[in-house]
Amino acid sequence: MRSVLRQVAIRALWAIATLIFTSILVFTATQLMPGNVAQLILGQFASPEAITALEVRLGLDRPAIVQFGSWFGGIIRGDFGVSPRMEVPIAPILIQRLGHSLVLAGLSLCLVALIGITLGTIAALRRGRALDRVLTGASLVGISMPEFVTGSLLILFFAGILPVSGFAPPQEGLWRWLSHLVLPVLSLTFIMLAHVMRTARVSMIEALGSPYVRTAVLKGLPKRTVVLKHALRNALLPTVTVIGINVGYLIGGVVVVELVFSYPGLGRLTVFAVQNRDIPLIQACTLTMAGIYILASFTTDMIYLALNPRLRAE
Amino acid sequence: MDAAADRRTRRADLGLRLGIIALGVVLVLVFAAPMLLPFDAETMSADAILSPPDVRHWLGTDHLGRDVFARTVLGGRSTLALAVAATALGVGIGASVGMVAGYKAGLIDNLLMRTSDAVMALPSLVLAMLVMVAVGSGPAAILLAIVLIFAPRAARITRSVVLNVARLDFVAAASVVGESQTSVLVREILPNVWPNILVEACLRFSYAILLISALGYLGIGIQPPTPDWGLMISEGAAYITAAPWMIFGPALGIVLAVISVNIVGDGLQERIGARLRRTTAHV
């Protein structure tokens, strides 16, 4: 029990260290940005005096390390500053958009895990037969179709049947809310599904060929028990890792899909910030996405720990 | 080797051959066809705006009257060339770092691996966007972004193989005989590691194509009017119901290129799989 707590503590500390390093990286990247920030805000024809005055007001004349300190201190208090382009505080918008994105990502991840593991298991049980080959072939196509291709094709086929852009809050009715989510979630699910299915299939095949499964079969246990209780539990370990790794991919996918379907989430906000060179907004958005990923990796480690008795015993 | 495994290997070899043929077709189309095309990718024509595919324009024309086939083929050329360069550079640098880290061990190893862990803590697309913010968009920025994304992973994989190989007797023997560290790395360890590096490079190559297209689609990668698959699809999105052929060309390009690279990668992995399983007990 004590070793489990120690491992949890080590991973938690490592996650915090990574987050601090990431924030330094984000801050440095935005500092390197070409062009003068005050000039970007005031426009080409601003007088040098006006630019200097704005720099002093924004604190841009201070050394980089001091600027980092006040930025990072603000974030810890939940203050992400003000967006120069939108001229509003960032934190409330960030939280609202993050909420929209998490719904999209969460639904996709659940669907991917559920369908991916089921299809992978079925393909492994039917290994080498027609169904396995169809599923494996389909997954190859799935891996090769980026979200914006799948999304564009879905729009082409479902325009007029399902909403192809925007967002409806759940207060406006459950169906309206869900109908705006169907196509974005499908686009995200398709490409990740292939990854998860392939991993689940391979690890299931490995587990089915192992000595403990043979023992279970020879003991006369029903096939259902052998597959679900003995093989699947062990096959789940690599699959969970792959799902965890896919969260990093999912974050990129969410950015793309939100643009395809004009979905008001964190991804579209980030692209807006990058295109408009809105530095505080870029910092807030990228750091939030990195934070989500670090949290997801930590959670994956914890699930892995819970599923793998060998790690707990060490 | 039992009959079933034998059959699987033969099927994988067939897959590898098919993949190489498909990749060859894509490469020939992309690198040779532009010389034979009657149309230039950037010439606009007012009397052929959004015209559907026909004998003249095989894949139709876009909203500015440009030939979609010519743009698809040229876009493929820049995307594939950039993807090859970025993958070779990223995986190459990563593999070198991984070899040194795995062989030297100790402090250097710790330092290099912690740094790569920290860089890997950023989702790929977020890292790419930060690079675009820091150094501006364009092919050089995309190259840098992909190198930064690929190198840490390649380093980690290479290191884990080197750790296993460096323990073996022939490596110790080479040092005892008096080979220099560089010579041990290049002549003794590298020959045992390169299959893994090759498989990694192949898998990453298809991801590089997807990443370049995604950045183009988001409008922060290759800039117009240069033809680019992702950019073409985002331009076509506005005309999707009126002129769906605007996205068919680039979509087909991406899917064909990525599928053929993936098939080759799978085939390679299967073919040298036995060897990989021998050298990498736990990756």
Side-chain angles (χ1 to χ4, degrees):
Chain A
M1 190 60 206
R2 179 175 285 163
S3 78
V4 175
L5 280 180
R6 219 181 118 232
Q7 292 206 37
V8 172
I10 290 173
R11 305 242 158 117
L13 277 178
W14 177 236
I16 292 169
T18 316
L19 192 62
I20 292 172
F21 177 84
T22 312
S23 65
I24 296 174
L25 211 66
V26 165
F27 187 79
T28 318
T30 47
Q31 286 287 309
L32 288 173
M33 193 162 130
N36 182 309
V37 178
Q39 182 127 44
L40 279 175
I41 297 171
L42 293 173
Q44 241 183 297
F45 303 108
S47 67
E49 293 79 32
I51 288 176
T52 316
L54 184 66
E55 278 185 338
V56 172
R57 193 162 66 79
L58 294 176
L60 295 174
D61 53 337
R62 298 170 300 167
I65 184 97
V66 179
Q67 288 188 47
F68 176 77
S70 73
W71 174 69
F72 195 69
I75 287 171
I76 290 173
R77 293 191 307 273
D79 173 17
F80 283 89
V82 175
S83 153
R85 290 286 166 188
M86 299 198 287
E87 294 175 336
V88 285
I90 292 172
I93 298 185
L94 191 70
I95 289 168
Q96 186 210 21
R97 299 295 173 87
L98 177 63
H100 294 169
S101 293
L102 284 180
V103 170
L104 200 60
L107 278 177
S108 311
L109 208 57
C110 290
L111 265 182
V112 165
L114 204 70
I115 304 177
I117 292 170
T118 312
L119 286 183
T121 308
I122 292 174
L125 290 173
R126 292 264 177 282
R127 184 184 188 190
R129 301 212 216 141
L131 185 62
D132 176 34
R133 289 212 219 141
V134 168
L135 285 175
T136 311
S139 78
L140 197 62
V141 178
I143 283 182
S144 313
M145 291 230 314
E147 305 81 4
F148 54 91
V149 169
T150 324
S152 304
L153 294 179
L154 283 176
I155 289 179
L156 189 61
F157 292 134
F158 288 99
I161 303 169
L162 281 165
V164 293
S165 78
F167 168 82
Q171 296 90 314
E172 284 181 23
L174 198 64
W175 167 241
R176 249 182 77 76
W177 175 68
L178 267 178
S179 69
H180 281 86
L181 286 168
V182 175
L183 296 183
V185 167
L186 274 183
S187 318
L188 280 173
T189 308
F190 200 57
I191 191 163
M192 286 195 303
L193 187 61
H195 280 283
V196 174
M197 198 201 101
R198 281 163 70 113
T199 315
R201 175 181 173 274
V202 171
S203 21
M204 195 66 189
I205 286 175
E206 237 161 63
L208 286 173
S210 65
Y212 58 79
V213 165
R214 206 173 341 136
T215 311
V217 173
L218 290 177
K219 269 200 301 189
L221 292 177
K223 193 174 180 192
R224 219 185 122 83
T225 319
V226 175
V227 170
L228 293 180
K229 283 213 155 155
H230 296 249
L232 189 60
R233 201 185 150 107
N234 283 285
L236 273 182
L237 282 173
T239 314
V240 164
T241 316
V242 163
I243 294 175
I245 292 170
N246 263 289
V247 170
Y249 186 84
L250 177 66
I251 292 174
V254 165
V255 174
V256 173
V257 161
E258 286 181 359
L259 226 69
V260 175
F261 294 98
S262 312
Y263 185 88
L266 185 59
R268 210 160 66 113
L269 191 67
T270 315
V271 175
F272 169 86
V274 171
Q275 281 171 346
N276 288 284
R277 306 176 139 255
D278 188 326
I279 290 186
L281 197 57
I282 296 174
Q283 291 170 334
C285 290
T286 47
L287 190 60
T288 308
M289 287 196 272
I292 299 276
Y293 186 36
I294 292 168
L295 191 65
S297 307
F298 178 72
T299 316
T300 313
D301 281 349
M302 293 301 108
I303 295 178
Y304 201 86
L305 206 60
L307 280 177
N308 193 346
R310 273 163 300 187
L311 277 183
R312 265 175 296 168
E314 266 172 30
Chain B
M1 193 182 273
D2 59 309
D6 197 33
R7 207 168 47 240
R8 262 205 317 284
T9 315
R10 245 181 295 135
R11 196 182 298 147
D13 273 0
L14 180 70
L16 183 60
R17 238 170 270 151
L18 281 178
I20 290 174
I21 292 172
L23 192 60
V25 170
V26 171
L27 289 178
V28 166
L29 260 180
V30 160
F31 285 96
M35 291 173 237
L36 310 171
L37 282 177
F39 303 105
D40 178 76
E42 289 176 26
T43 308
M44 305 176 205
S45 116
D47 51 340
I49 284 178
L50 296 180
S51 72
D54 57 20
V55 191
R56 238 173 93 71
H57 300 283
W58 295 352
L59 293 175
T61 61
D62 69 2
H63 58 302
L64 298 173
R66 297 173 296 194
D67 185 60
V68 174
F69 183 69
R71 289 181 68 72
T72 303
V73 165
L74 269 173
R77 183 152 74 169
S78 60
T79 303
L80 291 184
L82 192 57
V84 168
T87 309
L89 213 59
V91 174
I93 291 174
S96 315
V97 170
M99 279 180 64
V100 172
Y103 184 57
K104 285 274 192 191
L107 184 67
I108 296 180
D109 177 34
N110 244 320
L111 214 64
L112 288 173
M113 283 307 114
R114 288 300 151 209
T115 315
S116 73
D117 274 354
V119 175
M120 277 199 287
L122 278 172
S124 309
L125 199 70
V126 175
L127 185 57
M129 286 199 282
L130 279 176
V131 173
M132 299 298 157
V133 165
V135 298
S137 49
I142 298 176
L143 188 81
L144 177 64
I146 296 180
V147 167
L148 282 178
I149 293 168
F150 286 4
R153 228 187 81 112
R156 191 149 271 292
I157 288 174
T158 311
R159 173 182 171 271
S160 70
V161 185
V162 171
L163 279 183
N164 285 323
V165 175
R167 272 204 306 262
L168 301 178
D169 289 339
F170 68 90
V171 176
S175 339
V176 170
V177 168
E179 277 194 46
S180 72
Q181 288 193 337
T182 327
S183 161
V184 171
L185 266 179
V186 175
R187 289 181 44 201
E188 311 295 338
I189 296 184
L190 185 62
N192 289 288
V193 180
W194 75 261
N196 301 67
I197 300 177
L198 189 69
V199 167
E200 169 71 5
C202 214
L203 294 174
R204 298 269 97 187
F205 178 52
S206 65
Y207 186 52
I209 300 173
L210 291 176
L211 211 57
I212 295 171
S213 312
L215 287 173
Y217 181 85
L218 294 178
I220 52 180
I222 305 278
Q223 297 297 312
T226 313
D228 170 85
W229 286 343
L231 197 58
M232 287 171 74
I233 293 181
S234 100
E235 283 170 350
Y239 305 93
I240 186 127
T241 39
W245 53 85
M246 268 182 77
I247 68 162
F248 287 161
L252 209 63
I254 294 175
V255 174
L256 272 183
V258 176
I259 280 193
S260 50
V261 174
N262 277 340
I263 294 177
V264 172
D266 282 356
L268 276 182
Q269 198 161 28
E270 188 78 23
R271 178 171 260 196
I272 48 187
R275 193 172 172 179
L276 293 191
R277 273 190 286 277
R278 267 211 313 277
T279 43
T280 59
H282 35 241
V283 173

